[in-house]
Amino acid sequence: MKYIGIDIGGANTKVASSDSEITELLYIPLWKDTTLPSALKELANRLRPDGLAVVMTGELADCFVDKEEGIKFIMDAVNNAFECEVRYVNNTGNFQERTQSSRELAAANWAASARLIGEEVGDCIFVDVGSTTSDVIPIKNGKHVAGHTDFSRLLRDELFYAGTLRTNLAALLETVDLDVGTCRVSSEFFANTADAYMLLGDIDKELYTCETADGAGKNMIDCMRRLARVVCADLTEIAEDDIYRLAKNVKERQIELLCNSISTVAKKNDLDMIVSAGLGEFMIEEAANRLGIDCFSTADKWGKDISKVFPAYAAARSMDKEKNE
């Protein structure tokens, strides 16, 4: 039997099979791209699963009036594409049927991950740094004890909006320390975190799946040109070394934010182990090292490709387990 998990986000749709043989990442920005229904039909025809487990975060996209409209759009697209059994994971990590629609499905992809980690690893802080956000989820006695909504998790330091690819650098930085001095940054969307991590070698062009801020390319010069604009410069007036310093400022700030959230969640929940996942595992591992907390990598256990689409994989695994108990 083939069980597939799909994680439908506002920008990325991730796919994984319970046996780890299938991993896919599709860039489908819901706020401007109407191809989700046809993309799901193509997946259904090509993969032909016996069962489908779905998680979502895309309901928050600002093309929808509210979350209910977003959930309905996503569920309709999925239900119309797949003829197999379809089940949705809610924010407790449990399944509900395709005929039910509920706000508890909103932004629940992390709950699928937490369920699998709780079952297979145990008490820990599950940290997933993706393209857009960072989840910091406390797991105790095999179940997550996090807030059930993004709003509540933002209040509890269990979520912060910074990721490996899509984050506007102006959302992370007020100033940057350059060789020529401390410099304020522009609030324009001139560059994203993908530009910084491409320049530093933490990601490659294949992982740079989102659009660029200026619509230009993704080679090193393109990234440097965008990073220079963050301090209102171009490549004729800022030294290459200072562009690298700017990128390092971005990484340092993001790791600092990660440390702050992990430390808060660890102290509140008396937890002393991290399980890392996502495109930004390199940041999580550095944060764990600075905090002196043991870190268990999902990439080491299940492979790098699975780590990048972990909520989809976790949903598929949970469905497989329930069907074969």
Side-chain angles (χ1 to χ4, degrees):
M1 302 289 279
K2 182 192 291 186
Y3 296 100
I4 299 293
I6 294 185
D7 177 8
I8 300 173
N12 294 302
T13 292
K14 302 171 184 178
V15 183
S17 59
S18 62
D19 62 6
S20 308
E21 293 298 314
I22 297 169
T23 60
E24 297 185 26
L25 193 154
L26 310 173
Y27 181 61
I28 307 175
L30 297 185
W31 63 92
K32 66 175 184 177
D33 191 325
T34 60
T35 62
L36 179 67
S38 60
L40 292 176
K41 287 179 181 178
E42 189 279 329
L43 284 171
N45 292 332
R46 175 163 53 86
L47 300 179
R48 299 189 178 280
D50 299 293
L52 181 74
V54 183
V55 291
M56 68 180 76
T57 60
E59 76 290 330
L60 190 61
D62 59 11
C63 56
F64 305 123
V65 172
D66 52 28
K67 292 180 181 180
E68 283 89 348
E69 182 181 333
I71 291 168
K72 184 179 185 306
F73 171 83
I74 291 169
M75 290 186 75
D76 285 348
V78 171
N79 294 341
N80 289 334
F82 289 87
E83 297 181 358
C84 63
E85 179 182 5
V86 177
R87 304 181 78 185
Y88 293 84
V89 180
N90 62 29
N91 55 28
T92 67
N94 294 317
F95 284 113
Q96 63 184 56
E97 302 300 328
R98 68 193 293 167
T99 54
Q100 298 172 269
S101 181
S102 168
R103 284 185 70 93
E104 283 68 43
L105 299 180
N109 65 345
W110 57 270
S113 300
R115 174 176 172 173
L116 181 60
I117 295 299
E119 291 171 351
E120 301 213 357
V121 179
D123 290 5
C124 66
I125 304 168
F126 174 69
V127 184
D128 186 343
V129 178
S131 64
T132 310
T133 63
S134 298
D135 295 311
V136 184
I137 307 300
I139 298 172
K140 301 186 76 171
N141 301 316
K143 298 183 181 297
H144 82 75
V145 289
H148 282 189
T149 67
D150 278 0
F151 184 31
S152 66
R153 291 195 302 122
L154 285 167
L155 288 166
R156 295 155 60 112
D157 253 338
E158 296 162 353
L159 168 67
F160 69 90
Y161 250 77
T164 314
L165 303 181
R166 300 183 58 245
T167 304
N168 183 348
L169 299 193
L172 291 172
L173 303 172
E174 291 184 4
T175 62
V176 290
D177 296 322
L178 307 176
D179 185 54
V180 293
T182 299
C183 184
R184 292 192 175 276
V185 304
S186 167
S187 63
E188 295 285 352
F189 178 35
F190 280 139
N192 55 29
T193 42
D195 292 315
Y197 296 129
M198 266 286 291
L199 193 63
L200 296 175
D202 292 312
I203 65 168
D204 56 25
K205 194 179 291 189
E206 183 181 350
L207 293 178
Y208 194 149
T209 55
C210 65
E211 296 164 304
T212 60
D214 59 0
K218 299 176 182 179
N219 62 40
M220 289 300 187
I221 294 298
D222 292 323
C223 293
M224 291 174 70
R225 187 177 292 114
R226 286 188 289 271
L227 290 166
R229 293 189 188 115
V230 172
V231 288
C232 300
D234 63 23
L235 297 184
T236 67
E237 56 186 324
I238 184 172
E240 183 174 319
D241 284 351
D242 267 345
I243 296 177
Y244 274 90
R245 286 189 183 91
L246 192 158
K248 290 175 182 177
N249 275 227
V250 172
K251 186 174 183 178
E252 177 60 31
R253 178 57 176 158
Q254 197 160 357
I255 292 172
E256 179 186 357
L257 289 171
L258 204 51
C259 284
N260 292 344
S261 287
I262 292 170
S263 179
T264 298
V265 172
K267 289 175 182 177
K268 181 179 178 181
N269 296 279
D270 193 26
L271 293 167
D272 59 3
M273 184 174 73
I274 293 168
V275 175
S276 62
L279 289 169
E281 277 206 75
F282 63 91
M283 284 183 272
I284 304 168
E285 289 168 3
E286 176 59 26
N289 183 56
R290 293 184 188 185
L291 293 169
I293 301 176
D294 289 338
C295 185
F296 173 93
S297 167
T298 58
D300 288 346
K301 180 173 175 60
W302 287 290
K304 288 184 178 180
D305 289 341
I306 290 295
S307 176
K308 294 165 192 168
V309 296
F310 198 76
Y313 173 69
R317 278 285 306 279
S318 293
M319 188 175 196
D320 195 342
K321 279 186 175 183
E322 284 199 4
K323 290 296 182 182
N324 290 290
E325 283 181 347

